[in-house]
Amino acid sequence: AREVLTKLTNMLLLEDTTDPEFIHKLNMVNMQCKEEFCNCSADDVSMAIKVSDYWKNIESDSDPSGLKLKKGISFNARALAYYNWLINTKNLPGENVYGGKVICCLIKSPIGTSIDNYFAYTAGDWPEWAKTYAPIDYDGMYKKTVLEPINRILKPIGFKELHIDGSLEFNLFDLFG
């Protein structure tokens, strides 16, 4: 994600932003970058986080009816608890992890869970079963790690925001402005 942000930011700083086609060129580069991003491994698009005091926040990570979490739990601990819950309730291969540095990614909404769509795992050890039980939400990750930061730059300087689907919003007056 850092390389994509650098590429898009460099375009903003080094290209002729007065060119009427600039936002379209930027959007084309954005869509190329998104395609590359979506073909990356989990480790390449995920963020490193630290989880501490696991049991302070978790009531149960082995209840078949779902995770039992305490109020105020961090998304870090929730993400790791979801990993452990899957191992414990689905009899999946892997060791439970109760803290330390892990990798966290946004996942597609797991059906029947109250988890906030985050999944954590040990760095460099993306479990094969995660493709089924915790598939990465590449669009969501791209939106959070690339589009939201670049749009925080674009909007204040008067440009239209980039969208995940490549569309640009214009009104009738923009066309004749």
Side-chain angles (χ1 to χ4, degrees), residues 42-43 45-49 79 101-105 119-124:
D43 281 345
V45 298
S46 301
M47 58 189 155
I49 60 170
K101 285 190 176 181
V102 293
I103 301 295
C104 181
C105 61
F119 178 77
Y121 62 96
T122 307

Side-chain angles (χ1 to χ4, degrees), residues 83-100:
Y83 169 85
N84 289 335
W85 181 80
L86 285 170
I87 288 173
N88 295 334
T89 61
K90 307 290 184 196
N91 296 317
L92 299 169
E95 301 278 328
N96 282 319
V97 179
Y98 300 108

Side-chain angles (χ1 to χ4, degrees), residues 52-61 70 98:
S52 59
D53 297 329
Y54 182 86
W55 288 113
K56 177 181 170 187
N57 301 305
I58 310 295
E59 291 177 13
S60 172
D61 63 7
K70 296 179 182 175
Y98 300 108

Side-chain angles (χ1 to χ4, degrees), residues 46-52 54 57-58 67 69-83 102-107 114-121 141 144-145:
S46 301
M47 58 189 155
I49 60 170
K50 185 176 181 181
V51 177
S52 59
Y54 182 86
N57 301 305
I58 310 295
L67 281 168
L69 308 171
K70 296 179 182 175
K71 290 186 186 245
I73 185 173
S74 67
F75 87 92
N76 301 16
R78 257 192 311 260
L80 189 55
Y82 186 57
Y83 169 85
V102 293
I103 301 295
C104 181
C105 61
L106 189 64
I107 58 172
S114 61
I115 211 69
D116 284 347
N117 299 345
Y118 286 98
F119 178 77
Y121 62 96
M141 289 287 291
K144 282 189 175 297
T145 61

Side-chain angles (χ1 to χ4, degrees), residues 20 22 27 34 41 54 61 66 80 136 140 151 176-177:
F22 173 76
N27 196 41
K34 180 186 171 237
S41 71
Y54 182 86
D61 63 7
L80 189 55
I136 296 175
N151 283 336
F176 302 107

